Amino acid sequence: MSQNHTGRSSSEDVEWCYDAVHRVSRTFSLTISELNEPMARDICLGYLLCRVADTIEDAGHLPPAVQAELLRTYSRVLEPSNGTSMAAFHDAVGEWIPATTDADWEVVANAGRVVDVFRTLDDHSTRAIRGPVRELVDGMAMFVDRYADAGGLRIKTLDELEEYCWYAAGTVGTLVTGLVSHEASDEQVAQMEENARSFALLLQLVNVAKDAATDMEEENNVYLPLELLDEQGLDHSDVGNPENVDSLVPVIEQVTQRAEGYLDDAHQWLEAMPETRGNTLSAWAIPFLLAVGTIRELRERPADVIEQGNVKISREEVHTVCQQFVGEDEPSLAELRTKIRQRPLHEY
């Protein structure tokens, strides 16, 4: 059994990574549970590498200059030719890790374990993962710098929102496309590359719309664009205030509409995806369909984003969506999408 430089076995680190991803992300937990090896391990590691950066970017107790430097140090660690050691990152981040750590900060504290396992992957996987993850990390550092004086992100335009969403989630589409590309046809690769951005923007824009108030309260980040807020006589400081709910609803609706505009292309990305290297349609169709359900809920009750803190679909519907992919016969994605857009799937 191989061991890393800490003396732990590689299998122990792999097991820890799988356990960690199930603790920090409900959605990616579902995705990874649907995958087989080696894709399950690749996606697990790719996600955790991104989660380290995401936790640092969201940390309200870190000064922006510290956030940006930690992100850049971390990015250099991921590129071996830069010569930056994992120890350098741990030394820099150590003083900022909260005394009582939650699951996200536990991943940051154990980033070395994730990187150790990542470096054991084959060349194709490391190349497919490293580029998109570093683009995410560097993009986050750029946005932190851009709004350093504001103390948190304050998105100004819809175009800038999509730029941010690309850095925050574009990894998903490009990373998966890269991992399956060498066992896919040229036509499949072309269609996936053409639509990977849409899949990523769909998921992230839905998150922006449903979590607008929570992002302001917990992270001091406002992703609702100022140009949309200004149309309603609001600014960033008004987000999350229940007194402004009637004026905020049109803004939530416009971001939801923007997300909905990416459904068709995201669907095309899924239809082109080969089920190779342990990849499965269900792993990515499930978050796609959950996004469809969340869009439905946002359309029906946008005020809940402000009044209740966020908008979610029920656990019953999540379970019913997952159950559609149990068994050998794959369901019609188009039919499921149509049904979920109309009402919760478990109500049929």
Side-chain angles (χ1 to χ4, degrees):
M1 182 181 295
S2 63
Q3 291 188 321
N4 57 39
H5 68 277
T6 66
R8 293 188 307 269
S9 67
S10 296
S11 61
E12 287 179 304
D13 283 345
V14 171
E15 184 178 351
W16 183 89
C17 288
Y18 277 124
D19 180 65
V21 86
H22 292 310
R23 286 184 285 112
V24 298
S25 174
R26 177 185 174 190
T27 300
F28 262 86
S29 178
L30 293 173
T31 292
I32 290 168
S33 295
E34 292 292 320
L35 295 169
N36 300 310
E37 299 298 348
M39 194 70 168
R41 182 180 299 189
D42 289 353
I43 295 300
C44 175
L45 293 169
Y47 178 78
L48 289 178
L49 290 171
C50 295
R51 191 75 179 203
V52 171
D54 189 54
T55 300
I56 292 170
E57 188 217 23
D58 289 343
H61 70 286
L62 269 65
V66 172
Q67 287 175 307
E69 184 54 33
L70 286 174
L71 289 167
R72 292 193 178 94
T73 300
Y74 180 58
S75 179
R76 291 193 294 269
V77 168
L78 297 176
E79 177 51 71
S81 63
N82 284 332
T84 303
S85 69
M86 194 68 228
F89 172 74
H90 277 304
D91 288 345
V93 79
E95 66 178 293
W96 300 102
I97 295 176
T100 303
T101 58
D102 58 14
D104 285 322
W105 278 103
E106 190 176 336
V107 171
V108 175
N110 287 274
R113 303 183 78 167
V114 182
V115 172
D116 278 345
V117 179
F118 168 66
R119 288 172 175 167
T120 69
L121 301 181
D122 61 50
D123 289 344
H124 174 78
S125 294
T126 54
R127 286 196 303 269
I129 293 171
R130 180 183 290 118
V133 172
R134 291 197 70 208
E135 184 176 12
L136 175 147
V137 179
D138 293 340
M140 286 184 171
M142 179 183 69
F143 267 87
V144 169
D145 275 339
R146 185 180 297 179
Y147 290 102
D149 292 340
L153 302 190
R154 298 289 185 272
I155 301 300
K156 293 185 176 66
T157 67
L158 270 168
D159 286 344
E160 186 185 31
L161 173 60
E162 292 204 345
E163 180 191 14
Y164 173 79
C165 287
W166 170 251
Y167 287 121
T171 300
V172 177
T174 55
L175 191 152
V176 176
T177 300
L179 286 172
V180 300
S181 63
H182 74 312
E183 294 184 14
S185 68
D186 291 344
E187 182 180 355
Q188 286 174 313
V189 172
Q191 188 168 329
M192 289 189 73
E193 288 180 344
E194 181 179 350
N195 295 297
R197 178 178 182 272
S198 294
F199 184 82
L201 291 184
L202 165 68
L203 299 185
Q204 193 64 21
L205 285 169
V206 168
N207 286 339
V208 167
K210 76 181 183 67
D211 294 328
T214 303
D215 290 335
M216 173 67 170
E217 179 181 352
E218 297 182 358
E219 302 170 8
N220 193 30
N221 290 329
V222 183
Y223 302 106
L224 297 181
L226 181 60
E227 68 175 351
L228 301 185
L229 294 168
D230 186 61
E231 291 173 1
Q232 305 301 321
L234 304 173
D235 62 28
H236 288 129
S237 64
D238 296 312
V239 175
N241 186 343
E243 294 182 1
N244 298 316
V245 64
D246 290 341
S247 298
L248 286 165
V249 161
V251 180
I252 301 295
E253 289 175 335
Q254 288 182 75
V255 175
T256 302
Q257 182 178 359
R258 192 80 163 207
E260 196 164 15
Y262 287 110
L263 280 170
D264 288 344
D265 288 348
H267 195 150
Q268 290 297 311
W269 184 79
L270 288 166
E271 294 288 2
M273 178 186 296
E275 296 189 286
T276 58
R277 299 188 73 254
N279 190 40
T280 65
L281 173 65
S282 62
W284 309 106
I286 288 172
F288 171 81
L289 293 171
L290 297 182
V292 173
T294 305
I295 287 172
R296 180 199 66 232
E297 294 300 306
L298 284 164
R299 288 296 198 186
E300 293 178 357
R301 49 190 182 96
D304 283 2
V305 172
I306 308 303
E307 296 176 339
Q308 306 297 327
N310 58 28
V311 166
K312 293 181 179 180
I313 62 176
S314 69
R315 290 185 178 274
E316 290 85 356
E317 185 168 17
V318 173
H319 176 73
T320 304
V321 169
C322 293
Q323 287 299 112
Q324 303 308 300
F325 297 91
V326 174
E328 295 183 1
D329 296 329
E330 287 187 347
S332 166
L333 195 58
E335 181 179 339
L336 285 173
R337 173 183 165 184
T338 299
K339 293 172 72 173
I340 291 170
R341 185 62 184 85
Q342 294 171 351
R343 67 176 187 268
L345 191 60
H346 63 285
E347 293 183 1
Y348 282 90

